[in-house]
Amino acid sequence: MNTSGPVDQGLRLIPFRGLRYVPERVGSLAAVTSPPYDVVVRPDGLHHLESADPHNIVRLILPQADTARDRHRQAAATLDRWLAEGVLAPDPDPVLYVYEQRNDEISQRGLIGALALSPAAEGIVLPHEDVMDDVVADRAELMRTTGAHLEPLLLTYRGDEGTPTGAAAVIDRTVLREPLLATTTEDGFRHRLWAVTDASDRREIETDLARHQALIADGHHRWATYLRLQREQTAPGPWDYGLVLLVDTARHPLQVRAIHRLLRGLPVSRALKALAGHFRVQQVEGPLPRALDSLAEAAAAGNAFLLAGDGGFHLVDRPDPALLARTVRADRPDAWRTLDATVLHSALLDEVWRIPDAPEHIGYIHDTAAAVEQAERLGATAILMHPVREEVVRDLARQGVTMPRKSTSFGPKPATGLVMRSLALD
């Protein structure tokens, strides 16, 4: 996908009145933030965040109740209460925001705003992964009930090389001022947020972004949710826009990591037994970093996975060509047919292990050590994946081909809780 060339109708990012925590009403800004909802490792991560501060944003993005309807209503009631109590307050005027994440190795800056929605067919915002309908339905009901966008999606575009111009130049000028907020989260990332209030700066951003298209790096389910809710409306309005963070990867390349699978009802012994005749299986030495090195070496030559959960590590590679020919769709590009996620879902999950792709059977976990720990604790199987190269993601998106869901994890992801969008304020 060429995200730097001209397009008939490019990105349109508009200001909004950000909803933010009032620092004096919470223990600390770091204590009320959270990773995106789908990165929180349940239940340990959820309990940790809930205990960090009584106003942690996880109570809005992952409310806990007996039924889905009760969860969504609880989140809406919590949001209303925090607004009434002054825990959250809207900024006085609509603005765009410059957001910075930085640690000792990474520095990333981008723009947070309300982005005009568009279907993939228009070629303005392109997804690269499939989504799960039940997750979209749940997120839609949460957004519908709260009337809010609680987490910015992460989108990337590729700006111009060389001397900063347009949005890049505005960002560089803005970060020289005092930020609206600054905090350091427990993962070591330092976060800062600024408001872009100057009308000429906003015009410069608008003119620049109109030349570009974007790739969804993180937040496919929330983008699909935005589009679903937009289709429900009968007149133009705030539902025509979605909360996003736009990052120029020419200046701030993202990291691409794998998302691992937890097969809840499948012990490792049974998983390995079923692989006979379909894949080569080798036990490899730990600890985990060493086993992951073995996975990386095997992945350079073809499809490879690392199974864990029984205290050891098992390298699974060299799939039977006849199995792949029988199970993998032939009407897709070779780059899609040879993806590890394609082979995993088409050949292993659907054919060899016959495991339905449903939340009660398969968990998706971003953290490698957490995937192994949960598998060992539950007597389950963790499938550790090797990351997809970013150029493969872009090439498939350019062709309009989506990857199997949860194929990639781009980062760093924006912290949830630093700025939200209430649709009632637009």
Side-chain angles (χ1 to χ4, degrees), residues 19-283:
L19 197 62
R20 298 191 292 115
Y21 280 98
V22 177
E24 296 77 15
R25 299 302 307 273
V26 298
S28 72
L29 289 175
V32 295
T33 64
S34 164
Y37 79 98
D38 58 338
V39 180
V40 177
V41 180
R42 299 190 192 203
D44 299 342
L46 181 65
H47 294 159
H48 173 71
L49 291 165
E50 287 180 330
S51 62
D53 189 283
H55 301 109
N56 189 282
I57 190 68
V58 78
R59 287 179 167 81
L60 300 182
I61 62 172
L62 288 173
Q64 299 300 292
D66 291 337
T67 68
R69 187 176 185 182
D70 287 344
R71 289 196 300 271
H72 303 139
R73 287 180 171 178
Q74 179 176 298
T78 301
L79 177 59
D80 290 344
R81 185 174 70 254
W82 289 356
L83 285 166
E85 294 172 350
V87 174
L88 294 170
D91 282 334
D93 300 302
V95 298
L96 297 177
Y97 297 88
V98 170
Y99 174 52
E100 177 188 80
Q101 297 164 271
R102 180 188 296 269
N103 65 11
D104 294 339
E105 300 175 352
I106 300 169
S107 177
Q108 178 174 289
R109 292 171 180 164
L111 291 164
I112 294 178
L115 184 69
L117 304 180
S118 60
E122 293 185 7
I124 300 171
V125 176
L126 295 184
H128 70 268
E129 288 186 354
D130 294 332
V131 297
M132 294 176 273
D133 289 340
D134 59 324
V135 176
V136 174
D138 180 76
R139 290 293 105 182
E141 186 58 30
L142 178 64
M143 289 186 198
R144 192 185 295 114
T145 306
T146 59
H149 294 163
L150 303 171
E151 306 181 79
L153 283 64
L154 176 60
L155 273 61
T156 71
Y157 69 101
R158 190 157 187 86
D160 300 327
E161 307 282 352
T163 303
T165 59
V170 173
I171 290 173
D172 284 356
R173 293 195 298 268
T174 301
V175 298
L176 299 177
R177 306 198 306 261
E178 282 296 311
L180 294 173
L181 65 83
T183 190
T184 301
T185 45
E186 64 179 6
D187 59 4
F189 270 94
R190 300 181 292 278
H191 307 262
R192 294 195 293 174
L193 191 75
W194 294 262
V196 179
T197 57
D198 185 83
S200 62
D201 283 345
R202 289 193 213 159
R203 286 194 297 271
E204 192 171 350
I205 291 171
E206 180 181 0
T207 301
D208 185 16
L209 293 182
R211 302 183 298 117
H212 297 289
Q213 54 186 176
L215 176 74
I216 301 175
D218 185 69
H220 283 81
H221 288 90
R222 284 166 283 163
W223 182 259
T225 299
Y226 289 166
L227 294 174
R228 175 180 292 195
L229 294 174
Q230 182 191 36
R231 291 193 296 269
E232 296 177 0
Q233 310 309 308
T234 57
W239 294 100
D240 294 324
Y241 298 84
L243 181 64
V244 305
L245 166 65
L246 274 173
V247 173
D248 175 0
T249 53
R251 307 192 75 207
H252 304 286
L254 270 65
Q255 297 180 327
V256 186
R257 293 188 172 93
I259 301 177
H260 312 293
R261 274 63 169 166
L262 177 70
L263 309 185
R264 305 185 195 280
L266 183 68
V268 173
S269 59
R270 186 145 50 94
L272 294 175
K273 184 177 180 180
L275 291 173
H278 298 300
F279 285 79
R280 183 179 72 167
V281 179
Q282 304 175 80
Q283 185 152 359

Side-chain angles (χ1 to χ4, degrees), residues 360-424:
E360 61 268 28
H361 298 288
I362 303 177
Y364 293 86
I365 301 177
H366 292 70
D367 183 83
T368 309
V372 174
E373 185 277 327
Q374 287 203 39
E376 292 179 346
R377 176 163 49 84
L378 298 173
T381 297
I383 309 294
L384 306 183
M385 311 281 287
H386 188 67
V388 180
R389 290 179 293 111
E390 185 175 358
E391 54 266 33
V392 173
V393 177
R394 281 208 182 93
D395 286 345
L396 287 172
R398 183 189 300 124
Q399 298 175 64
V401 177
T402 54
M403 300 166 64
R405 47 185 166 263
K406 300 295 183 182
S407 294
T408 61
S409 176
F410 281 84
K413 306 176 192 302
T416 297
L418 295 181
V419 61
M420 294 155 268
R421 176 178 178 239
S422 170
L423 279 76

